[in-house]
Amino acid sequence: MAKILLTADRTLMSNYHDNEFLGFGTCAPPNFIPEWFYSFLFFPPLKVEGGIPAAAPYGLRKTEAQLLKEGLDVTVISPDHLEEHINEAKVLGIHAMDPFGLGPASSTLAAIFKKEPYLAKYFQLLMSNPEIQKAKKRGLKIIVGGPGAWQFRYRQKFVKDHSIDCIVDGEGENVVGKLFKAALEGDELPSYYEVGVKETPSLEEIPDIVHPSINGLVEIGRGCCRGCEFCNVTLRPLRWYPLEKIKREISLNLKSEKVEGCCLHAEDVMLYGSKNTIPQDDKLLRLHEFVTKNCDGISWSHCSLAAVASKPKLFSQLSEMILSKQAWWGAEIGIETGSAELAQKIMPAKAHPFKAENWTEVVQDGMGLMHDNMMVPACTLIVGLPEEKEADLLKTMELMDDLKGFRSLIVPLFFVPLGRLKSEDWFKRTEMSDLHKQLLFQCVEHDFHWVNDLLEISFRGKWYGRFLREFYKGFAGIAKRKVRQIA
Ligand code: SF4
């Protein structure tokens, strides 16, 4: 086995029954469903051969590709098979998405249910593996990175107790090589490495993945031009991958028997190839022609309501292509607030090319188009923004009423200080007013109204669909009763 092992905890090493939406289940805390059954429903383990998983999180694959490019000896390993291989390893790299459940979705659920979410529990289980601790004593170095790296700043004691040598925060391509080489040499490592703007990789510096990613996820670009105050992404430059690079990664994924579909990942898939906020018809159509011709399923990671609303014809053309292969597709969408006044203060470009003062109309138009074209958005609302007033909350509640008829999930997230607002205070459950609670309840009602419909269309045509659908429905029914008791 290799000198460098890369891994991630069990909640990240899953294909979520080929349905990224189910991955949200890892944000929930342990509950009335027995753990073995909950993990089967929401994050079943990946197939493994000789300790090597059939696929891995895309971010981990990028690190692997970069280290291989620099001539290092590296293997991605399942967290359940570390014991068998860790003795030969000199460095263990760990991918962390939301290691302490401080991300908006998990921290909101944790605050409501007063329990730590599964993803935090499994990250800690991984880090407490006695074999890692034994290997540590004989000199193993541990390097942690990934989108959740920022959370370690709030958990210094954990870093010390688990002898983590280095945390890498930011896009790692230009720095992981030197850090892992230093670790192999036994050199001292910086305890926290924040990747500077000058070290951010250009497109040419980002290697293609060399082994399959979970659910065929491929990045089509990095960064975002909208500049919302509360967002980390906005601090990075905007770069779109050339179509040829995306095609190469999709083709690599499809060579694996375990990957048939593709999830296009960007902060706004609708803006692929665009230097501003206007979607580029040609580029999007060519990308989707390739994906729908070659893949058995497609999803988008994120897109914006404004981009959808700005090009309704293009959006239905894309939808037609996608629906020739499947019944629906999904993406995460940021609504954040129903108050145009608040939108103008904290996310003035989110509505662009429309005016921020028309934010609510943009949301309604975008949501209507998505409903008509069978895109199912998982939308977020931010609760407790530093500048939020009662009038803003009332407007968000009015908007929720207007969105009732649109097939969607709408999730309220407690404000987490990130991006340009990182020095602000966290929003806590104890600060929730009656209006906050009513809004939360409105979201829960909305989601449970649509969840059965979503389950029907999600599992339609799959041989195991009927069986799984009934379990999820049962789970949703019990969850609904529990949430009503808490709200
Ligand atoms: S649109 Fe989304 S990704 Fe872009 S800055 Fe705003 S919140 Fe961040």
Side-chain angles (χ1 to χ4, degrees):
M1 201 42 85
K3 293 269 179 290
I4 299 173
L5 295 182
L6 300 179
T7 194
D9 73 70
R10 266 274 289 108
T11 60
L12 296 176
M13 288 286 201
S14 172
N15 67 2
Y16 318 103
H17 296 287
D18 301 324
N19 187 340
E20 294 282 327
F21 268 60
L22 288 181
F24 276 111
T26 62
C27 299
N31 49 61
F32 48 87
I33 300 207
E35 190 159 327
W36 65 269
F37 191 48
Y38 190 89
S39 69
F40 162 74
L41 285 178
F42 290 95
F43 51 98
L46 289 167
K47 296 251 167 11
V48 169
E49 249 184 73
I52 297 175
Y58 186 82
L60 199 63
R61 287 299 190 210
K62 278 287 188 224
T63 304
E64 175 192 45
Q66 182 63 37
L67 297 178
L68 286 170
K69 186 173 138 188
E70 298 198 33
L72 298 176
D73 180 18
V74 53
T75 300
V76 170
I77 195 93
S78 154
D80 299 328
H81 293 263
L82 272 174
E83 299 74 66
E84 298 138 46
H85 305 287
I86 201 154
N87 284 336
E88 295 145 51
K90 287 188 149 188
V91 192
L92 177 64
I94 297 176
H95 180 72
M97 181 71 84
D98 189 1
F100 302 105
L102 303 180
S106 42
S107 62
T108 306
L109 284 169
I112 293 173
F113 292 97
K114 297 189 185 152
K115 270 196 210 161
E116 186 177 59
Y118 270 117
L119 40 75
K121 178 178 174 178
Y122 277 85
F123 180 76
Q124 279 159 48
L125 271 176
L126 168 65
M127 294 307 299
S128 314
N129 181 329
E131 295 303 320
I132 297 185
Q133 295 310 320
K134 246 195 257 166
K136 200 58 226 164
K137 287 200 182 101
R138 61 149 182 84
L140 178 85
K141 298 269 185 188
I142 301 178
I143 301 180
V144 182
W150 62 274
Q151 299 187 4
F152 290 89
R153 285 205 186 273
Y154 298 92
R155 293 290 185 274
Q156 303 282 347
K157 186 171 179 310
F158 183 94
V159 173
K160 202 162 163 252
D161 291 350
H162 292 81
S163 313
I164 297 173
D165 296 280
C166 176
I167 293 144
V168 187
D169 187 1
E171 293 180 33
E173 280 83 356
N174 284 337
V175 303
V176 287
K178 67 178 175 194
L179 291 171
F180 277 80
K181 279 177 197 163
L184 285 171
E185 298 295 318
D187 295 345
E188 193 71 18
L189 294 170
S191 53
Y192 196 94
Y193 194 107
E194 189 157 358
V195 181
V197 179
K198 286 198 182 129
E199 290 166 311
T200 304
S202 63
L203 282 176
E204 298 69 40
E205 286 168 328
I206 302 174
D208 292 0
I209 57 169
V210 289
H211 295 114
S213 60
I214 289 175
N215 290 341
L217 187 138
V218 293
E219 209 167 35
I220 61 169
R222 290 186 186 177
C224 175
C225 62
R226 294 192 189 270
C228 304
E229 296 271 304
F230 48 82
C231 177
N232 262 351
V233 175
T234 218
L235 308 173
R236 297 182 214 136
L238 178 66
R239 289 143 293 163
W240 293 112
Y241 288 3
L243 185 55
E244 286 312 311
K245 185 176 176 71
I246 301 169
K247 283 184 182 175
R248 283 198 303 270
E249 290 202 337
I250 293 176
S251 305
L252 176 120
N253 274 331
L254 293 176
K255 277 190 203 142
S256 153
E257 282 167 30
K258 307 282 181 255
V259 179
E260 291 167 350
C262 167
C263 174
L264 298 176
H265 174 67
E267 301 310 329
D268 191 347
V269 171
M270 274 296 284
L271 292 185
Y272 172 61
S274 169
K275 292 197 177 81
N276 49 38
T277 55
I278 312 284
Q280 298 286 302
D281 298 43
D282 216 38
K283 290 188 175 162
L284 271 171
L285 289 169
R286 278 198 288 136
L287 171 64
H288 284 80
E289 259 158 31
F290 180 82
V291 176
T292 48
K293 190 166 159 224
N294 292 285
C295 303
D296 266 351
I298 173 171
S299 59
W300 294 359
S301 68
H302 307 86
C303 83
S304 70
L305 289 152
V308 170
S310 72
K311 287 270 177 119
K313 195 165 154 241
L314 170 64
F315 186 65
S316 39
Q317 275 176 286
L318 295 171
S319 154
E320 212 174 292
M321 291 164 97
I322 294 170
L323 298 183
S324 68
K325 308 284 288 197
Q326 60 201 57
W328 66 284
W329 87 109
E332 272 181 68
I333 309 272
I335 296 178
E336 327 304 12
T337 176
S339 158
E341 290 72 26
L342 189 55
Q344 285 175 70
K345 287 183 208 156
I346 55 152
M347 45 183 211
K350 190 103 159 170
H352 213 271
F354 306 99
K355 292 192 174 127
E357 64 211 57
N358 297 330
W359 176 238
T360 28
E361 291 82 48
V362 173
V363 174
Q364 288 175 27
D365 290 352
M367 293 288 278
L369 284 163
M370 289 175 188
H371 182 85
D372 294 344
N373 286 286
M374 290 306 287
M375 170 192 251
V376 183
C379 308
T380 52
L381 287 176
I382 306 181
V383 172
L385 278 155
E387 302 203 45
E388 175 193 270
K389 308 257 177 329
E390 223 176 83
D392 299 314
L393 275 172
L394 287 169
K395 292 209 174 114
T396 304
M397 291 166 75
E398 265 171 41
L399 178 67
M400 281 297 299
D401 275 338
D402 295 335
L403 300 181
K404 264 186 189 159
F406 299 137
R407 188 185 306 100
S408 55
L409 297 176
I410 303 184
V411 189
L413 307 176
F414 287 1
F415 169 70
V416 168
L418 292 170
R420 293 193 199 100
L421 301 181
K422 77 175 174 197
S423 49
E424 297 283 346
D425 284 337
W426 295 69
F427 182 78
K428 301 191 189 76
R429 175 186 159 125
T430 46
E431 296 167 59
M432 268 171 67
S433 65
D434 283 346
L435 280 184
H436 286 128
K437 285 184 191 158
Q438 280 176 40
L439 176 60
L440 240 65
F441 196 68
Q442 253 184 313
C443 292
V444 169
E445 288 291 306
H446 177 95
D447 294 344
F448 283 121
H449 171 75
W450 283 109
V451 96
N452 281 352
D453 187 70
L454 290 175
L455 288 170
E456 285 297 330
I457 57 173
S458 294
F459 291 106
R460 199 178 287 156
K462 299 205 170 150
W463 65 267
Y464 55 85
R466 223 169 121 197
F467 164 76
L468 271 185
R469 192 173 56 220
E470 292 314 313
F471 277 118
Y472 289 113
K473 274 190 184 169
F475 171 71
I478 304 172
K480 189 173 176 178
R481 281 202 298 282
K482 293 267 174 193
V483 172
R484 278 188 175 144
Q485 283 162 11
I486 293 168

